[in-house]
Amino acid sequence: MLDRFLLQGPHDARFTILLAHGAGAPMDSASMTGAAEALAGVGFRVARFEFAYMAARRTGARKPPPRAETLNPEYEAAIAELGVDGPLIIGGKSMGGRVASMVADVHARGKVAGLLCLGYPFHPPGQPTKLRTAHLKGLTTPALICQGTRDEFGTRDEVPGYDLSDRIEILWLEDGDHDLKPRKTISGFSAADHLATMAKAAKAWAERL
């Protein structure tokens, strides 16, 4: 059993980032670890946590992911338990970022400085009309969404047509998939390149908060 939080980065960092995992992979997956290491490398304090259904899988319980909105109280509890004094950025990969986006304004007012989403699930794959963006229209928390241009949950051709809050900035990573990974032979970029770009952009964005 892992600790409640996986912590990385300098203890005296100005910003702390709280990250939740996606629907199908745990907080210590290769994708989550790579993102956390990149963010810690530019000076963030990074904390990762798991929702209860995912933590239960570590003891053999094969629980499916629940509806994203039912996880809001768990995210709120993680914010409270982490107990950060300084500026807090919340977010996560895919579903984790979606849950954070529902918590940022409504449930954690005054506690959250920003929202960082890594591969936002704008719609289920193959269902481009089933949008998960209604709550993003009126979002007041500053947000940075880092998205691969060929992410099947929302591509660069699709997302500009959505009605999104002007508080949301989008960083497009060329040829990146839902894990932000590009095909190097096509794009010329490696996964490490994109994670470094993401972290650098997140640092510059956070400094403007």
Side-chain angles (χ1 to χ4, degrees):
M1 180 66 183
L2 295 178
D3 291 337
R4 169 66 162 147
F5 296 105
L6 290 181
L7 298 169
Q8 288 169 274
H11 292 274
D12 59 349
R14 179 185 173 197
F15 290 96
T16 298
I17 302 180
L18 179 62
L19 294 177
H21 54 83
M27 64 179 175
D28 56 348
S29 67
S31 177
M32 287 288 290
T33 298
E37 289 177 346
L39 290 165
V42 297
F44 288 109
R45 182 67 166 161
V46 183
R48 286 176 275 166
F49 79 99
E50 283 182 349
F51 297 115
Y53 83 90
M54 183 62 72
R57 293 184 181 183
R58 297 185 182 275
T59 58
R62 297 300 300 173
K63 293 189 175 183
R67 292 179 62 86
E69 57 270 21
T70 67
L71 296 172
N72 289 4
E74 287 193 47
Y75 208 119
E76 295 171 57
I79 292 172
E81 187 175 340
L82 188 61
V84 173
D85 291 328
L88 175 66
I89 295 168
I90 66 172
K93 172 175 167 46
S94 192
M95 184 192 72
R98 183 184 174 201
V99 176
S101 72
M102 293 187 281
V103 166
D105 280 355
V106 180
H107 299 287
R109 192 176 303 278
K111 298 179 183 177
V112 175
L115 171 69
L116 177 64
C117 298
L118 307 176
Y120 187 85
F122 288 99
H123 60 74
Q127 301 180 60
T129 62
K130 192 176 180 180
L131 293 178
R132 297 159 169 165
T133 58
H135 68 290
L136 297 180
K137 296 178 183 179
L139 187 74
T140 61
T141 301
L144 176 64
I145 296 176
C146 301
Q147 196 84 355
T149 60
R150 63 183 177 94
D151 188 335
E152 60 183 354
F153 289 78
T155 68
R156 184 163 52 186
D157 292 334
E158 297 170 332
V159 175
Y162 301 156
D163 186 6
L164 303 177
S165 166
D166 60 8
R167 301 289 276 169
I168 297 174
E169 299 178 33
I170 299 180
L171 171 69
W172 288 106
L173 295 164
E174 187 62 37
D175 196 57
D177 62 11
H178 196 50
D179 288 333
L180 309 181
K181 292 180 180 178
R183 298 164 293 186
K184 189 168 186 179
T185 55
I186 293 176
S187 69
F189 296 104
S190 67
D193 291 334
H194 276 359
L195 288 179
T197 298
M198 175 277 293
K200 183 178 179 180
K203 183 70 170 178
W205 164 77
E207 293 297 337
R208 301 196 305 270
L209 295 178

